Every structure is written in structure tokens, then in C-alpha cells.
Amino acid sequence: MGWIEAAFLVPFVEFAFMRRALLGALMLSLSAAPVGVFLMLRRMSLTGDAMSYAILPGAAAGFLLYGLEIVPMTLGGLVAGIVVALAAGAVSRLTVQKEDASMAAFYLISLAVGVAMVSIRGSSVDLMHVLFGTVLALNDDALILIGLVTATTLITLLVFKRALIAECLDPLFLRSVSKLGSPVHFVFLGLVVINLVAGFQALGTLLSVGLMILPAAAARFWSQRVETMCLLAIVIGALSSISGLLLSYHAALPSGPAVILSAGCAYVASVLVAPRGVLVTRLPRTAHRTA
């Protein structure tokens, strides 16, 4: 038992920064993973990736004005994300361009502007902090922000669950029988933005989407029910957070990438061995054909 305690418990028992990092990562898993499930079901996974870049100029503006302060960078990222989401939606509705193309254009512009803004004042260390985050440096203010986002997300998902599921399955039908179609779409984009802003505090703009998409994508191989996928995504995200932080502690790896790598390993394992993965769905058919 001694080595098990040393490997799994001691890092969280002895170091307060590890406990704060674990709490923040677990709350992000509880909040972002279900949002990732709906993103995936809507075939909008890359939209989440684009939105993670979209918050960068706002966060960079907060950094230029106040330095690495959580509130200005968070508010800036939130405003930038909402502006990009609304702008991309407006372009897709007022022109012939689809939303994915307009989102791609805006996120590329946002990424370039954000990196340029951070580089004006900051060093390469500051740029790495904004892009990749520092989950081990989460303070009480960051944890409060993540907690508020988690509570808001869970309440919103419970209230709009039926409409969200209906829009995933048949958005045209939802709009034909209810006036909730367009409002629910923008409410959902708002959830994506606030979760990316919360994840930005821990994982940076480039990795915050990882804890949203990878657990959801892995859960898709284990179940077809939306509720079950959401629960599995939360569990996978939580286990990835724990294993990633332990890997970071013992192997001296960057904490954010270690968490996302753990989630990536869970995804690869699900692709291979899950009930809807490659080994179960493909190998028996191949063997039958050979026979």
C-alpha cells in the first residue's frame, strides 16, 4: 500500500496547488464534457475548436491592460467569444457562406490578432501562459469562476435538455413546431463560450477545447443515449484530469498537455475496445467473411 499511497494520494494530500488543480479540472469535466457531447452530436466539434481561438483577442486585451489578472482576461475572453459567435452566425444567415466557413475565417483572424497583442507587451513565457494555461497555478478567484460556470452550465442543460436533444436530432422539426429553435442555438453557443473561457484559466486557449471534445468523443463509442454519453464523458474527463495531474507530477510534464494527453489515451482506447469501437464492430465481420 505504501507505493500506491505515494503515487496516487501524496501529491494531492501534501500540496495545496495540486488540490486546487484537481478541483478546477474536475469542475471543468463536470461542466465542459456534457457541452462537448452536444457539440459532437450537432457535428460542431470543430466549432468548439474555433471558439477556443476566438476568445484569445479579448483575453489578450485584458492582459495588455491589467497583466495576468483573472477578471479582466476572463471578461475580455467572454466578450470576444460572444462577438465572434454572433458575427459568424450573422454572416451565415445574411450571406451565402455557411457557418463553419465564417467561423473558420473569424477564428483565424482572432488567433492572429490575439498572438500579436500578447507579443506587444509580454514575453514568450506570457504567450505560453495564455495559449496553454497553468492549471497548477489556479487560485481561489479562478476556482470561483469555474464553479460559477459549472453551476450555470448544469442548470441551463437541465432546463433546455429536451430542446437541445431535439435540435441535435432534427433542428428543422424543432423550428417547425417550436419557437425555441434559434434561441436554443444561441444559448448553446453561449454555454460553449463560457466553458471555453473557464477552461482557458486552467488549460489556455489552445487546450481548453480538449477537455470538452475528447471525453465526449470517447463516450460516443460506449453508448447511443444522450444522457448516458454525458455521464460517461464526465467520468472520462474526471479520470483524465486525475491521471494527467499525476502524470504531470511524477514525470515532470506540463500539467495542461498531460491532462489532454490522458483524455487522448482514453479516446484511443475507446476507439479500439468500446462496444462501438473497431475491434468489436469490425473484426467479427472480417472473420465471418474469411470463413
Side-chain angles (χ1 to χ4, degrees):
M1 290 294 296
W3 69 269
I4 295 178
E5 293 178 357
F8 295 99
L9 297 180
V10 169
F12 300 115
V13 172
E14 292 191 356
F15 300 103
F17 68 88
M18 288 290 290
R19 292 195 296 273
R20 286 195 296 269
L22 178 62
L23 178 59
L26 291 179
M27 287 193 295
L28 285 174
S29 300
L30 183 61
S31 178
V35 174
V37 170
F38 286 103
L39 268 177
M40 179 189 60
L41 293 177
R42 288 161 169 253
R43 296 178 175 87
M44 293 173 61
S45 299
L46 291 180
T47 299
D49 189 43
M51 292 304 301
S52 69
Y53 297 115
I55 68 176
L56 184 55
F63 170 75
L64 285 176
L65 295 174
Y66 299 97
L68 293 172
E69 294 289 334
I70 180 173
V71 174
M73 294 180 70
T74 297
L75 292 176
L78 184 61
V79 171
I82 292 174
V83 167
V84 169
L86 293 176
V91 169
S92 66
R93 283 164 174 75
L94 298 176
T95 70
V96 297
Q97 193 169 61
K98 299 295 184 182
E99 189 171 26
D100 59 340
S102 59
M103 187 71 74
F106 279 109
Y107 100 73
L108 289 171
I109 296 170
S110 299
L111 178 62
V113 170
V115 171
M117 291 173 68
V118 175
S119 301
I120 289 173
R121 173 177 170 179
S123 64
S124 59
V125 174
D126 294 323
L127 182 60
M128 292 292 288
H129 172 86
V130 173
L131 293 179
F132 297 104
T134 51
V135 67
L136 296 182
L138 288 178
N139 55 25
D140 293 338
D141 291 337
L143 290 177
I144 291 172
L145 169 69
I146 295 172
L148 289 174
V149 169
T150 300
T152 301
T153 299
L154 293 179
I155 292 172
T156 305
L157 289 177
L158 287 175
V159 171
F160 292 100
K161 181 182 73 171
R162 293 174 63 89
L164 286 169
I165 294 175
E167 192 181 22
C168 289
L169 298 176
D170 194 341
L172 294 178
F173 172 76
L174 177 63
R175 292 173 186 174
S176 66
V177 300
S178 172
K179 296 181 180 180
L180 289 177
S182 294
V184 164
H185 180 72
F186 285 105
V187 166
F188 178 70
L189 286 180
L191 289 181
V192 174
V193 171
I194 64 172
N195 276 275
L196 289 174
V197 170
F200 154 76
Q201 304 298 333
L203 302 171
T205 57
L206 298 187
L207 295 179
S208 59
V209 71
L211 204 55
M212 182 181 291
I213 297 300
L214 285 172
R220 187 70 176 89
F221 290 100
W222 296 92
S223 176
Q224 292 181 302
R225 291 181 56 84
V226 176
E227 295 88 348
T228 305
M229 276 191 281
C230 288
L231 292 175
L232 285 173
I234 292 171
V235 171
I236 293 170
L239 293 176
S240 299
S241 299
I242 296 170
S243 58
L245 289 173
L246 290 172
L247 179 63
S248 170
Y249 177 83
H250 291 294
L253 293 176
S255 52
V259 170
I260 302 306
L261 282 174
S262 297
C265 291
Y267 172 75
V268 172
S270 300
V271 170
L272 295 176
V273 303
R276 306 183 68 209
V278 173
L279 296 182
V280 175
T281 60
R282 298 298 179 186
L283 290 186
R285 296 179 183 179
T286 303
H288 178 72
R289 289 170 185 170
T290 303

